[in-house]
């Protein structure tokens, strides 16, 4: 009964995360949507873009070793493409402008916690930033810039 009572709220949530991702895909990132999204999250400026530092390859490599991570990535990519088509892009996510792609990111992050779009975007951002900023190439164009505390905090267990 509780499930039926909650059914009234399904249309709003369902339109945000419609499961079109059930189709099997042979390539990890058909069309390069994930790679393109990573370049939206970490675009090229004086530092290289995410794809220039091969972050997309590191993400897919990680997906091979974490249960369900690959499925989450594929489903998130399919959701992005569907979201673009729902918003009028006949060519899907890759046909959007940079600003529209940023809007897709914002929509994903506005979804309720524990929904596919939000989990996909939060996890992808966390992993992408980690893979990107652990590479010294990300810093070489910024004078005297290095990762903060590259060896950690060796005396963290002591009081200041």
């Amino acid at each position: 009964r509780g499930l039926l009572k909650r059914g009234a709220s399904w249309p709003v949530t369902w339109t945000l995360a419609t499961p079109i991702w059930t189709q099997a895909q042979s390539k990890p990132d058909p069309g390069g949507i994930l790679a393109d999204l990573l370049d939206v999250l970490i675009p090229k400026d004086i530092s290289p873009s995410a794809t220039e530092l091969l972050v997309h390859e590191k993400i897919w490599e990680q997906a091979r070793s974490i249960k369900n991570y690959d499925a989450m990535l594929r489903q998130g990519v399919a959701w992005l493409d569907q979201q673009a088509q729902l918003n009028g892009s006949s060519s899907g996510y890759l046909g959007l402008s940079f600003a529209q792609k940023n809007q897709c990111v914002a929509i994903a992050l506005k979804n309720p916690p524990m929904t596919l779009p939000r989990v996909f975007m939060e996890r992808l951002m966390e992993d992408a930033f980690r893979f990107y900023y652990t590479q010294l190439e990300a810093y070489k164009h910024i004078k005297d810039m290095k990762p903060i505390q590259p060896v950690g905090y060796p005396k963290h267990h002591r009081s200041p």
Side-chain angles (χ1 to χ4, degrees):
R1 288 185 190 195
L3 185 61
L4 291 174
K5 288 179 185 177
R6 284 181 262 149
S9 66
W10 285 357
V12 174
T13 306
W14 193 250
T15 58
L16 294 174
T18 305
I20 65 160
W21 52 83
T22 55
Q23 301 170 359
Q25 299 171 351
S26 58
K27 295 184 347 185
D29 188 14
I33 292 175
L34 184 74
D36 189 83
L37 172 61
L38 291 169
D39 281 346
V40 169
L41 298 173
I42 308 172
K44 180 180 176 97
D45 50 20
I46 62 170
S47 297
S49 69
T51 56
E52 288 176 323
L53 293 186
L54 305 177
V55 171
H56 59 298
E57 291 180 8
K58 291 177 171 107
I59 296 281
W60 286 115
E61 183 179 321
Q62 175 175 279
R64 287 193 289 273
S65 63
I66 299 175
K67 184 179 180 183
N68 297 325
Y69 191 70
D70 179 75
M72 189 254 326
L73 290 174
R74 291 174 190 271
Q75 293 169 12
V77 164
W79 178 87
L80 275 174
D81 209 35
Q82 179 193 36
Q83 192 64 36
Q85 291 172 6
L86 289 173
N87 289 312
S89 174
S90 60
S91 56
Y93 175 81
L94 294 173
L96 296 175
S97 69
F98 188 79
Q100 290 170 318
K101 290 174 183 176
N102 271 314
Q103 186 62 31
C104 282
V105 171
I107 290 169
L109 293 171
K110 288 179 185 175
N111 270 264
M114 301 309 293
T115 58
L116 170 69
R118 179 125 169 226
V119 169
F120 165 70
M121 196 60 65
E122 287 177 344
R123 179 66 192 264
L124 183 64
M125 289 171 70
E126 179 181 324
D127 291 341
F129 293 145
R130 178 173 43 87
F131 285 131
Y132 184 84
Y133 289 110
T134 56
Q135 297 183 65
L136 292 179
E137 293 85 7
Y139 300 96
K140 76 178 183 182
H141 299 295
I142 304 171
K143 186 179 177 181
D144 299 324
M145 179 68 170
K146 295 180 182 139
I148 299 171
Q149 296 294 334
V151 294
Y153 296 92
K155 298 178 185 176
H156 67 85
H157 61 283
R158 296 185 192 159
S159 299

